[in-house]
Amino acid sequence: MADKSEIKIAIAQSEQQIEELEKKRLRSQSALLEAYLMKAEPDQKDVDYFKVLTSLIRLERDKIRMLQNELIASEH
């Protein structure tokens, strides 16, 4: 089991990674929204990019939950 400071660092790194991924996802989200508003078919690359980034964000959030549980367990 990692010590508390390593877990806290890993949580902070995951939070930073989520912020970066969300910024990237926002670009494709804007393109998808524009296509929707223009009643046009969105570019498949934008759709795929959005899905991939959303999956990566979900994985990082799961990782944070796991690390937080590990941190709580180490305190007991």
Side-chain angles (χ1 to χ4, degrees):
M1 185 182 305
D3 71 358
K4 290 180 188 180
S5 63
E6 289 176 353
I7 296 171
K8 289 178 182 180
I9 290 170
I11 290 171
Q13 289 172 338
S14 285
E15 289 171 344
Q16 180 64 34
Q17 181 69 20
I18 288 172
E19 285 182 34
E20 292 173 15
L21 290 168
E22 286 177 337
K23 287 178 186 175
K24 291 178 182 179
R25 183 176 68 170
L26 190 57
R27 291 184 215 132
S28 61
Q29 187 176 13
S30 295
L32 294 174
L33 181 59
E34 179 184 5
Y36 174 78
L37 292 174
M38 302 299 276
K39 300 185 187 318
E41 189 69 29
D43 187 327
Q44 189 59 41
K45 290 179 188 175
D46 290 325
V47 172
D48 293 340
Y49 197 59
F50 182 83
K51 288 179 180 180
V52 167
L53 290 170
T54 299
S55 294
L56 291 172
I57 290 167
R58 188 174 303 118
L59 288 173
E60 282 299 319
R61 288 184 178 144
D62 290 344
K63 182 179 173 181
I64 287 174
R65 279 190 281 283
M66 180 199 66
L67 289 167
Q68 288 171 334
N69 289 338
E70 190 176 329
L71 185 61
I72 291 168
S74 72
E75 292 175 351
H76 291 110

